[in-house]
Amino acid sequence: MSDKGNATGHEKLQSGQPGSDPSMLMQLSTAYWGSQVLLTANRMGLFDLLKDDGHSTEELASALGLQPRHLLLFLRACVGLGLLTESPAGQYRNSPLSAAFLVPGAPGFMGNAISYSDNLYDTWGQLEQTLRSGTPPMATDTYTGHDAEKTRHFVYGMHDRALGIGQAMVGIVDLTKYRRMLDIGGGPGTYSSLFARRHPELRSVVMDLPGVVAIASEIIAGLGVADRVDTLAGDYLNDHWPGGNDVVLISGVFHRESEQGCRALIDSARQALEVGGLLVVSDVFTDAGNTTPPFAALFGLNMMLTAPDGGVHADADVGQWMIDAGFTDIQYRQFPPPMPHRVVMGTRA
Ligand SMILES: C[S@@+](CC[C@H](N)C(=O)[O-])C[C@H]1O[C@@H](n2cnc3c(N)ncnc32)[C@H](O)[C@@H]1O
């Protein structure tokens, strides 16, 4: 037998062949360490505390009620991850990344979206049980009305995210010639508000569950478009959709629904649209086959853990469901990286 044929497992690992480097497995198995550092720092208000000045470990320990020795290890890990910087004199400051996205009040603030991930940390720990039971560990209505604090985190988290994604959305979807929009599962109303600000003649109705639209009204007023963006409390699967619209937006909703549910929504959209009206479906979608991009496939698991019919669909399948429902001129768009979102549009024939 040749030397090659006798190669030990160790020699095979050193061969540089595909499959010989286990680094990715190490990264995956410990990825939650870094996540937990970010989630904890965000939860404790560390970035807010550092928004103006640098502080020493002792000052931060005293302000946050923490043990200095333990905090020091934590702060150094934050520095290692690029969340903080450390001066030679032992003063900790927000890194440019944290200053831009993790300080409350910053234009790019993502802390509410991060709190939402924090709320789901224990839920992800129940992945195996969910695969066995087929039931998500967190009741979906916990954060869409039943628990006031979690609902507020969820709605403001959606708003933070939508503010960023919405800037891209209003560039990708041209609503210049449209006047009356229905925004189904519109959540915080951010997209409707951004479209209304872009198109002064556009009016929109944001339909969502009662606990969510109560908070949406605040957000819409804060964006200065309460005169043209209304809210409507309703269940998109069981309640009547107002008709006579020339555009229906369904964003971030398909990932909560099965194929059957999505087809029902497309059918309701067709009925709510005038002939020639536009259906815009935006979401995280996979490529055909549902395995790539990896983030989208993982996102499907996140939705499986948080909604009874949650998952992820391929944009090409959604386009086909629209054709089956009588839509024409199907168009596909992708948001610029790193945004994982895509849009599928069709015209009511
Ligand atoms: C991920 S959010 C998307 C919000 C917003 N459209 C966006 O893209 O940012 C999904 C929304 O669907 C709403 N929703 C879930 N089930 C619903 C139902 N049966 N009827 C109406 N809205 C529902 C949730 O309350 C939530 O606001």
Side-chain angles (χ1 to χ4, degrees), residues 241-315:
W241 296 19
N245 306 285
D246 56 11
V247 53
V248 169
L249 172 66
I250 309 181
S251 168
V253 165
F254 273 32
H255 62 236
R256 308 178 57 85
E257 304 299 338
S258 63
E259 173 181 341
Q260 190 189 14
C262 294
R263 284 183 183 271
L265 293 176
I266 292 171
D267 204 46
S268 298
R270 190 179 50 76
Q271 292 175 43
L273 278 168
E274 291 174 341
V275 172
L278 182 71
L279 171 59
V280 181
V281 181
S282 164
D283 215 314
V284 176
F285 292 123
T286 62
D287 304 323
N290 301 102
T291 59
T292 55
F295 175 84
L298 285 172
F299 180 79
L301 285 183
N302 191 65
M303 294 319 304
M304 176 196 81
L305 287 163
T306 53
D309 291 317
V312 67
H313 304 287
D315 53 0

Side-chain angles (χ1 to χ4, degrees), residues 169-178 195 198-199 278 345:
M169 168 96 99
V170 296
I172 289 170
V173 179
D174 181 7
L175 296 186
T176 309
K177 60 179 189 179
Y178 298 91
F195 274 119
R198 174 83 155 226
H199 303 291
L278 182 71
M345 291 182 278

Side-chain angles (χ1 to χ4, degrees), residues 144 154 158 162 183 185-188 191 208-209 212 234-237 251-253 255-256:
T144 55
F154 177 58
M158 287 191 286
D183 183 359
Y191 289 141
D208 207 298
L209 299 170
V212 174
D235 174 342
Y236 56 51
L237 287 174
S251 168
V253 165
H255 62 236
R256 308 178 57 85

